[in-house]
Amino acid sequence: MSNHQINILLAGVGGQGILTLSRIISQVALQAGYVVTSAETHGMSQRDGAVTVHLRIGTHEVHPLINKADFLIALEPHEVLRNILYISKNTSVISEKKPLIPPSVYQNRRIEISTSCDGCSICVSDSGCPINQYLRDPTGIWIRLPAAGLVNGRLSLKEACTKCGLCQEICPNNAISIDTSDYLEDIVDSLGTISQKLYIIAAAELAQEIENPRAANIVMFGAFQKLQDKLNLPEKTCQDVITNLFPRTVESNLKAFQLGQDRVSLNSK
Ligand code: SF4
Ligand code: SF4
């Protein structure tokens, strides 16, 4: 056990597994013989509100709140900005790449329907646009105008469309294009200006690839384990804690952990 004290700020929004990530790191640190002090704020976590956990790991008990963080681990990139006061030039920032876009931002998206739309109607059917389903009563009568319909054999979007993007994902002809690139680039670029030690990890995407979308927090844990060197938290202890906490999904969670370890050096800025 080393004689160091490190401060870790975990940040995300409700439902992303921040508290589970905190539990994993705490258990690994305790098993390695450290004292762990923590404080959580998750007032709006049931409604996608911000969640933070202050974790302080060392050889003796300290005040639970962090002044400056040695590590900021953010499961959503905007949460890095929200917690900028905790960042110093020595802070290693590990951030998820993909932002969660709030509904108010959807409205600024540009949607284009290309000529490859053949009017198949999948996007406006009951397995398509959720707003259309919501605006029909159980007998199929429209309660308000639909969000989308077919006009002259092509998809036409109406005022009720929330620009959620679901139709883009299910269109078999790739006829719908929704532009979010400006928003995504802005946030990642701005992170580059506030930290010299920035590690952007596409954790949600990696978790999807291994068919365990809930494991994005484990990917981030793998990245953290690789970067932390002062505490020297053993890899084997990390794997044992993951195995004990997720007995039914051991394989995919260990894979997520390994992906985080592998990607952190590739994705550093
Ligand atoms: S946009 Fe795509 S899913 Fe919708 S009607 Fe056209 S081809 Fe079908
Ligand atoms: S963007 Fe969303 S709300 Fe608009 S038509 Fe497509 S699925 Fe419906």
Side-chain angles (χ1 to χ4, degrees):
M1 186 174 74
S2 96
N3 204 21
H4 285 97
Q5 168 91 36
I6 70 165
N7 301 320
I8 306 165
L9 186 68
L10 309 177
V13 298
Q16 287 192 306
I18 280 287
L19 301 183
T20 303
L21 179 58
S22 164
R23 196 169 155 209
I24 293 169
I25 296 174
S26 298
Q27 286 198 14
V28 171
L30 288 168
Q31 289 190 24
Y34 289 105
V35 174
V36 177
T37 317
S38 71
E40 300 170 0
T41 61
H42 45 102
M44 294 286 281
S45 57
Q46 296 303 311
R47 291 195 285 168
D48 292 343
V51 183
T52 56
V53 179
H54 292 226
L55 266 185
R56 305 191 70 187
I57 299 172
T59 51
H60 55 279
E61 198 147 339
V62 290
H63 187 279
L65 295 180
I66 290 171
N67 182 11
K68 293 293 180 190
D70 297 293
F71 284 92
L72 168 56
I73 306 175
L75 293 188
E76 205 287 320
H78 293 91
E79 298 305 314
V80 176
L81 301 181
R82 198 196 301 276
N83 291 286
I84 198 166
L85 288 176
Y86 295 100
I87 297 174
S88 74
K89 66 178 172 39
N90 298 318
T91 305
S92 293
V93 177
I94 310 171
S95 174
E96 160 65 54
K97 184 176 184 182
K98 184 179 178 188
L100 289 179
I101 303 177
S104 57
V105 175
Y106 285 162
Q107 292 303 330
N108 293 326
R109 290 174 155 185
R110 293 187 297 278
I111 300 190
E112 287 176 15
I113 317 298
S114 80
T115 51
S116 59
C117 171
D118 63 5
C120 74
S121 84
I122 288 174
C123 61
V124 296
S125 71
D126 276 352
S127 56
C129 175
I131 302 299
N132 271 14
Q133 292 166 46
Y134 178 71
L135 294 178
R136 265 201 302 259
D137 78 7
T139 65
I141 305 288
W142 291 107
I143 298 166
R144 291 197 350 239
L145 281 177
L150 296 183
V151 174
N152 297 330
R154 268 182 70 188
L155 174 65
S156 168
L157 301 179
K158 316 288 182 195
E159 205 174 317
C161 169
T162 61
K163 304 183 182 176
C164 70
L166 186 75
C167 55
Q168 181 188 35
E169 291 170 25
I170 62 174
C171 173
N173 296 330
N174 291 324
I176 305 168
S177 106
I178 302 183
D179 181 16
T180 59
S181 58
D182 292 350
Y183 184 76
L184 303 185
E185 283 164 11
D186 282 349
I187 180 67
V188 171
D189 285 351
S190 62
L191 297 190
T193 64
I194 62 172
S195 174
Q196 297 299 310
K197 295 197 276 185
L198 173 66
Y199 304 89
I200 302 286
I201 309 288
E205 191 180 309
L206 291 168
Q208 286 283 357
E209 282 173 16
I210 58 170
E211 297 179 354
N212 185 355
R214 296 173 68 88
N217 54 354
I218 310 293
V219 175
M220 298 296 269
F221 174 54
F224 164 72
Q225 194 277 338
K226 195 73 177 175
L227 290 173
Q228 61 80 34
D229 49 11
K230 288 183 181 168
L231 293 177
N232 197 18
L233 298 175
E235 183 173 337
K236 175 75 169 65
T237 308
C238 297
Q239 292 165 335
D240 289 346
V241 167
I242 290 171
T243 301
N244 288 334
L245 280 176
F246 308 101
R248 286 189 289 184
T249 49
V250 172
E251 196 179 333
S252 67
N253 280 306
L254 288 179
K255 179 68 182 165
F257 176 67
Q258 185 208 323
L259 284 171
Q261 290 180 305
D262 294 347
R263 294 300 168 96
V264 72
S265 46
L266 294 174
N267 288 282
S268 60
K269 273 194 175 181

